[in-house]
Amino acid sequence: MNILIFGPNGSGKGTQGAIVQKKYGVPHIETGVIFRQNISKKTPLGEKAKAYIDRGELVPDDITIPMILNRLKEDDCAKGWLLDGFPRNLAQAEALWIALEKEKMKLDYVIEIDLDRDTAKKRIMGRRLCKMDNNHPNNIFIDAIKPHEHEGKTVCRVCGCEDLSARADDQDTNAIDKRHGIYYDTKTGTLAAVNYFKERAKVITVNGSKGVKEVSEELMKKLA
Ligand code: AMP
């Protein structure tokens, strides 16, 4: 099962992605996670990517496209993959489509989580990452997924871990606006990539403004 998942930063894409990943048992490949792992390990790829990520810009296609196409060739992807954060623009969508056609690989589903820009921005700024699992949903601005208070400390609502942090690029409004500018761009940005697949694959669109449970229920119904 080969799946792409799209949604603006703040749409709950990571959370829904983790649910889809469990349903199909395929690796959840997140471009942003791969970059952040390389940055923390101070690899040459991480050093190159860091400045772009800090500014909220896309890492150039000549770095990102081969990185992902090579990742899809690894053994754990033999039975499929869930790709999250790629493609992020029209050029990446075209490169992926060409690579899939060449390998005679089918794209089974393209998931689009639809959310307006203002709501997405508010959600990003409230997002808190749990050290045990970044996909544990915690957001100080959303009642349904507010972190818990325990003995005067703010802890992960899922596992109780005390190590909750905000990503630096989640607190930088310029970086958020840039990332959303790229996402909502229907000419060459991420929505252009989504539209590109609407003509080529089965695209499932879900309303991301609802709670985590409602969104996943809608998604599971449509995936069934
Ligand atoms: P994310 O965790 O998906 O929000 O990604 C964090 C950052 O990684 C983005 O703001 C970009 O700088 C970079 N990034 C992630 N995916 C891509 C991609 N497909 N192409 C270029 N840069 C990317």
Side-chain angles (χ1 to χ4, degrees):
M1 187 66 73
N2 300 325
I3 306 169
L4 299 180
I5 185 163
F6 288 99
N9 295 105
S11 65
K13 176 169 59 71
T15 308
Q16 298 302 330
I19 296 169
V20 175
Q21 191 262 336
K22 261 196 205 137
K23 177 176 167 74
Y24 294 110
V26 290
H28 185 185
I29 301 169
E30 295 171 90
T31 338
V33 171
I34 299 178
F35 282 132
R36 281 189 290 281
Q37 283 168 346
N38 276 277
I39 291 171
S40 59
K41 286 187 199 148
K42 295 196 169 23
T43 67
L45 173 69
E47 309 263 289
K48 273 192 221 158
K50 187 172 184 317
Y52 297 99
I53 292 179
D54 287 347
R55 290 195 298 265
E57 291 169 11
L58 289 188
V59 178
D61 287 346
D62 60 343
I63 299 175
T64 310
I65 293 174
M67 175 183 90
I68 291 299
L69 296 183
N70 287 332
R71 176 68 186 85
L72 297 183
K73 288 184 186 146
E74 287 180 25
D75 290 349
D76 62 334
C77 292
K79 291 211 175 108
W81 34 260
L82 169 66
L83 200 44
D84 177 343
F86 184 95
R88 204 91 154 203
N89 60 26
L90 189 55
Q92 294 181 1
E94 288 167 347
L96 177 66
W97 187 252
I98 290 167
L100 293 178
E101 295 227 295
K102 196 170 150 217
E103 305 286 330
K104 302 217 177 341
M105 281 168 95
K106 193 174 170 245
L107 191 53
D108 295 284
Y109 290 114
V110 176
I111 299 166
E112 177 193 19
I113 302 180
D114 187 32
L115 188 67
D116 70 87
R117 192 165 170 163
D118 284 347
T119 310
K121 182 171 180 176
K122 193 172 159 219
R123 286 204 190 160
I124 291 184
M125 301 205 71
R127 180 156 75 180
R128 295 294 177 268
L129 295 182
C130 165
K131 194 171 183 202
M132 301 305 286
D133 185 340
N134 282 352
N135 285 321
H136 284 168
N138 287 281
N139 194 304
I140 59 169
F141 294 143
I142 303 174
D143 285 341
I145 52 168
K146 256 204 181 125
H148 290 160
E149 293 297 324
H150 181 68
E151 294 174 352
K153 287 184 183 138
T154 305
V155 303
C156 172
R157 56 175 291 104
V158 180
C159 68
C161 161
E162 286 178 13
D163 202 335
L164 289 183
S165 60
R167 259 168 57 180
D169 57 345
D170 279 354
Q171 300 305 305
D172 177 340
T173 48
N174 280 339
I176 293 170
D177 288 341
K178 263 197 209 158
R179 279 148 74 195
H180 279 161
I182 295 165
Y183 188 86
Y184 289 98
D185 173 357
T186 52
K187 286 211 170 86
T188 58
T190 314
L191 282 185
V194 176
N195 292 336
Y196 176 85
F197 289 111
K198 282 186 177 160
E199 290 160 18
R200 292 167 175 81
K202 185 170 170 51
V203 178
I204 289 174
T205 302
V206 291
N207 175 358
S209 68
K210 299 191 185 145
V212 173
K213 198 164 161 273
E214 286 99 328
V215 177
S216 73
E217 278 170 2
E218 186 186 347
L219 186 52
M220 289 306 134
K221 238 186 248 161
K222 292 184 169 170
L223 281 173

